[in-house]
Structures are given as C-alpha cells and as structure tokens.
Amino acid sequence: MILYTCSYIPLEILMGTGKDFERLLSAASSSCHELGCNLCGYAKIVYGAGMELDKGDLLLVADSCDAMRRVGDLLSESSRAGVFMMRLPWKRDERAVEFMASEILRLIEFLEEKGIDVNLSAGVERFNGLIDHVRSLESTLVGRDLTELYLSALNGLKHDPTGSRVKNKTAGKDFGLAGGIVDMSEIDAIIESAGGVITRNDTCLGARPFASRTRVGEDPAFYVAQRLIGWRAPCGRFSEESKDECEGLDGLLYAIPKFCDFYDFTRNTSNSKIYRAEIDYPLNSHGQIATRVGALLEKNLARRSEIERGERSVFLGIDSGSTTTNGVLTDSTGKILRWKTIRTGINALASARRLYEELLSQSGGSKEEIARIVATGYGRELIDFADETVTEISCHARAVARLFPSAIGIVDIGGQDSKVIKLSAEGNVEDFSMNDRCAAGTGRFLEVMAKVLELDTGEMASLALRSSRELSISSVCTVFAESEVVSLIGRGEKIEDISAGLFNAIVKRVAAMYVRLGSPEPLVFTGGVARNAGVVRSMERVLKRKITVPEVPDIMGAYGAALFAMDIPGEKGQ
C-alpha cells in the first residue's frame, strides 16, 4: 500500500504507478507520546500510522513544516515501511519550480528502487481526467457531498455524485473553509449545525490540489512542478493571503492547526466574514467551533424585529450554560417579566425543562401564552422545545445593545469560557474573540481556586479588597495554577493577596483579547463572574477604565435570546 501525507506529493506520479494509494487521514486519538504534547495532531497521527506499517508498505512524506520534517526523519529511521521525504521549496519563483522538479524525479527514482514502475506521462493524462471530473462537479455540490468529491479525488477516484445535494437546493448559508488540515467529516457537521453549509473548500483536503490541469509536454516533471508551485491558494508555509477568500460567501473559517509554526493565528483581518480559529486534528472542540461559526454567520445577518401583537405576546429566552441555565420571560416590548437561574447539572435538557416549568409557575401563565422560545449557550442544540437557536455571542450583544445603547465593548466571563465582543454603532456584533482552550480565565478557574483556599468566591472578593501586595499567578493552566497557589500558601503569603492575584490572573487573560479587538469602550461586563466585585475591581484597574455591570449580569444571554424570539415571524408551532 502507498500512503502519502501532503497534497504536494504529486498525484500524477501516484496515478502513473497503476497502484492503489491513499491520502493518510485518520480520526484516531492524538494523545501525548514520545514526540511530546506540543505537536499538531496530524503530525502525531502520521507518526503513529508510520510506525504501524509493514515491510513492503510505502509512506511518502513532505516536509511541509518543521513537525512533518521531524516526523519524516524519525520514521525513516524507525518504520518498517519504505519512507520517502520530499523536500519543498520556500518560495514560488522559477528556481522553486526547478527544485520541485528535481524532487519529483527523486521520488520517481525512489519508487522504481522499490520495484514500482512510474509512467509519468500516463499519470499526467489520468490526473487531468480527474481534474476535469472534479472541476465539472465542484461548483454544483455542497457540504458533505463536496467533501466526498475532494476526498475521493485525493485517492485518485472519481466520485459519483448521484443523489447528492446541489447548491440551489440547500437552505444553509454559504460557508467557506481555508487554512490548514482539518477533520472534514467533523467540520461539515459543525457548520451544518450552525446553519451553514460548505460551498467552498480551499484547504489541502479541498479544491487546493485541483486548481488546474498539468501541462502536457516533453518535460512532465517540470510541468508537474509548475502546477504544484502555482496553486491559487498556497499553504501556510508561503505566508500568502488569497485576495478573494470571501467572495460570494456568508462566512469563512480560517483553520489554524494547533501548535503550527506556519499558519498565523494572530494575523488581523479587516474582513468581517472571516474568523480565524485554532483547530486540532482530529477535532475535539465541537461546541466552541459551532459557537464561532454560528456567531460569524449571525453577525453578518441583519435582523429586524417583527412583533405580532395579540394574546400570545410573551417570549422566552433560555441560556443553557455549562454551570447554570438561565431563563428570561419578556413581553412584546422587551420588558423583562420574570427571570430565573438554576444549576445545569448533568442533563442540560432536563434542567431547561425544569426552568421552563418554574418560570411559568412563578408567572401564573401557561405554555399557550408563550409566543416563541429561543435557546442559546453551549447546550442550545439540546433544547428540543425551542423554536430557534442563537449563539451566546449574538445574544449578549443584543441584550447589552438594548439596555446600554452607548456600549461598544462587552466582556463576558462564564463557567467554561470568556469572550470579548466589539459592537458597531448600531449595536450589532462587529468582531469577537473567545478563550476556551482551558479553564484559565473562566468561572471554573475561580471555583477551583476557591476550594484550594477553602473559601467561596464571595469571600475571596471581600478579602481581595484588603490586599496590600500584588502577587503574580503566572501559570496559564488551572492545574498548574492550583499548585502555584498551594506553594504560595506554604510560603506564608496572605490569603487576601493570593485572592487578588487570582483575580488579576483571570483579568490579564481577558485583557489580551480586549486589546486585540481595539479596546472598545464604553465597556459592559456580563456573565456570572461579573457578580464578583474582586474581579470587577481588578478589571477596572488592569484595563484602566470604568466598567458597567448589569443589575443581573448572569441573565444577559437569556435576555438577548428572548429579544431574538421577538424577531421570529409567526407564532410558536407555525
């Protein structure tokens, strides 16, 4: 079996062998091992697969990055399979094409040494036939069907699209994908759950390898090299931006492989339709990516309230979070009638149903009086009695814009993530940033540290106000920070100073996102952590500005959801 790891490995050569071949893709776990933890998931998968290959198998690796070069070198020494490492140029000029052509000839020599004949001219002809097949269909297919077309072609196969969905028959918003390698089956499902569908894929698992035919002539190696170096959307090693990434799209997710040295995670973009996100392979952050994609699509979709007057003019918003579930009932003017907060527990749907029943009981109303229900939060897709779901980013923005019309910035710290949202002058989401890689900078961080100090978070806040010495909690990991706090206690540091240091640690993580969005103000602080006076005081000191805290900051997401419920035309169930 011939396996290959990168689309810079020429399909023309593989198709010229007449042998079966396959792009190495796997959804296997990529846990820490002898290569270390700080390595992208795909590099770990390649290493693991290479070590399991037998004598007679071939693995073709391209040094597309430092990680793959390291993996390829190790496999060349340790794998039972025959391993070939293709060197790639660093530029896209004429000399780069000549270098690539020499590597192509070296690959052919390697295969022939392994007893595999290569007819490159025949391979070019077969590849061009595959290109024609892909190009004739890619403009008509969407989502998983488009993905299947590309993945089949990467294995040299022509996908039969019988029964596939075509573009003009999908109700999803047109979404694009660019950047590095991602788990396509997972990404397709996540984007569909957020109301979108992939109609353009410019990654190395999408259209990028099939951008053009290979010229036919007397020097096929040179012409293959020209095609590879001349990709319309080059990979991250060339540090180039495509000029028309979002043309005709409602949004685009730019995937940054985790621990990648080539794809720039921090590069700013003025295009409001692009969201850059760090994504590991295989993907392990479904809820967070769905929230980002959903918010990206929502912020580019103008909503207008179309309230229907009548008896059924009560609206319910439910915010299903990791720690608490919040509910808000409003009338047709957006006035809050009732609100309630309960612990989410292990069953988000059961908690949401209980909240729903208790709100109705408190208000003395009935289910028939509620016109519409919108759910938000990480558990929003589980709320099966909701009429629609909206991301918490859009909901917090909607609520803040309603209650604080002059606000431009929002900081929201919840149980498992923190967000900074920038609003336009009209109160719409202009940009946002999220931290959900670990518990640092979240309410969960505070809960863990409070247990270490044998206090509740309110007591921590009271003590922090009496702090006389600034302590630095440097660990970015909650587990390591816990050990750091234990060490500080052992050194005899005062609990009030440790508490203040912990609040500063949370704020500094949020401050980095806040500055990245241009330090928007006036600033409103939402989420359950906004109840903590110690965090508020620390945030005002670190950000050097006055912060507005809503009367009940926990329910802002639910209130925004209730306001969105007023936008849905028709009554519940219609």
Side-chain angles (χ1 to χ4, degrees), residues 126 198 379 406:
R126 291 170 188 154
I198 292 180
S406 64

Side-chain angles (χ1 to χ4, degrees), residues 197-232:
V197 64
I198 292 180
T199 58
R200 185 191 305 164
N201 181 348
D202 274 334
T203 70
C204 60
L205 298 184
R208 191 188 291 164
F210 309 106
S212 63
R213 302 172 99 247
T214 299
R215 182 179 171 185
V216 177
E218 295 181 357
D219 192 352
F222 182 81
Y223 297 139
V224 171
Q226 273 189 330
R227 177 188 71 82
L228 291 171
I229 298 299
W231 279 350
R232 182 181 67 83

